[in-house]
Amino acid sequence: EVQLVESGGGLVQPGRSLRLSCTASGFTFGDYAMSWVRQAPGKGLEWVGFIRSKAYGGTTEYAASVKGRFTISRDDSKSIAYLQMNSLKTEDTAVYYCTRDHGEMATILPYWGQGTLVTVSS
Amino acid sequence: DIQMTQSPSSLSASVGDRVTITCQASQDISNYLNWYQQKPGKAPKLLIYDASNLETGVPSRFSGSGSGTDFTFTISSLQPEDIATYYCQQYDNLALTFGGGTKVEIK
């Protein structure tokens, strides 16, 4: 059974950093692209970024709203995906979901974690 | 970036009604369009992928159609457990984009 468990959320001040982790199990982690999607309180879904599988270079893409501030990485040996968030803003407050793709490229999202809440506030 | 315009933003229908939601892409996305259902406090669930393919285990009252820029999601007979917010999502090589969502309620 595919399982994705996010951790690392919490309350952080504006301008500070936070790193989220997504621990995966139930599948060969390195074979799949991983995405992060967020949802601000009472709002819709917003794609944050993704990391392709190593077979596709392990390269990353980001939404314009986080580009240059957020970094996605992966450790295939530990089956963990990371979301490093720097220079956090109040508008980054959201539930952050880790997702596993249908395949090696970021296309279809059949698997989601339960989400972790990040609150950016002074 | 490709923009997705989803409508309506909310709707109210009776049990047994046919419900239709549309999603329009700002440029041709072929059939690279997925639909998700999200219930309050829960993670989204994939229902339809590549515009018209039903995800395993999803009831057949859910369906999708379309290609290019115009897509439709249909619930053939609304059930009480279908109360949720529905999102379309497109993908290209560089990004994913979600529609704004449609909240479905029972009349």
Side-chain angles (χ1 to χ4, degrees):
Chain A
E1 179 191 6
V2 172
Q3 286 199 323
L4 302 170
V5 179
E6 302 95 337
S7 59
L11 175 63
V12 61
Q13 293 179 327
R16 303 297 292 267
S17 299
L18 200 64
R19 187 178 80 162
L20 305 183
S21 299
C22 171
T23 303
S25 61
F27 63 99
T28 303
F29 182 77
D31 288 349
Y32 295 90
M34 301 295 293
S35 294
W36 288 90
V37 175
R38 69 183 180 182
Q39 187 168 36
K43 303 297 185 182
L45 301 172
E46 180 187 17
W47 170 72
V48 172
F50 64 69
I51 185 165
R52 299 178 179 90
S53 70
K54 283 295 195 304
Y56 282 83
T59 51
T60 53
E61 305 291 345
Y62 300 95
S65 58
V66 305
K67 197 168 185 177
R69 299 188 299 124
F70 289 12
T71 302
I72 297 173
S73 60
R74 63 190 300 155
D75 185 336
D76 290 351
S77 67
K78 296 181 179 178
S79 297
I80 300 177
Y82 300 99
L83 177 63
Q84 177 67 44
M85 304 184 291
N86 298 333
S87 303
L88 281 161
K89 306 175 181 180
T90 55
E91 52 263 42
D92 294 320
T93 294
V95 173
Y96 284 75
Y97 293 101
C98 167
T99 75
R100 194 210 87 175
D101 198 84
H102 189 266
E104 295 170 307
M105 301 285 284
T107 55
I108 303 164
L109 308 177
Y111 299 103
W112 296 63
Q114 84 287 352
T116 188
L117 176 62
V118 173
T119 302
V120 184
S121 174
S122 54
Chain B
D1 287 0
I2 299 173
Q3 308 302 317
M4 305 302 296
T5 303
Q6 189 175 336
S7 62
S9 57
S10 65
L11 65 89
S12 182
S14 300
V15 173
D17 281 356
R18 184 180 186 87
V19 169
T20 299
I21 299 168
T22 64
C23 199
Q24 185 172 59
S26 59
Q27 63 188 72
D28 191 332
I29 57 170
S30 184
N31 68 331
Y32 301 149
L33 192 283
N34 310 315
W35 292 95
Y36 300 83
Q37 174 193 67
Q38 187 181 31
K39 296 185 177 181
K42 300 293 187 181
K45 174 186 175 182
L46 176 67
L47 300 180
I48 302 285
Y49 65 94
D50 289 346
S52 60
N53 295 295
L54 194 67
E55 176 71 345
T56 302
V58 174
S60 59
R61 65 179 179 275
F62 297 102
S63 65
S65 65
S67 66
T69 60
D70 295 304
F71 301 85
T72 300
F73 172 81
T74 300
I75 307 173
S76 61
S77 177
L78 186 67
Q79 301 301 303
E81 60 267 32
D82 300 337
I83 299 313
T85 300
Y86 294 84
Y87 296 91
C88 62
Q89 172 246 318
Q90 71 82 30
Y91 59 93
D92 64 20
N93 193 40
L94 299 178
L96 309 180
T97 313
F98 288 92
T102 298
K103 187 173 184 180
V104 175
E105 298 176 320
I106 295 287
K107 191 182 294 183

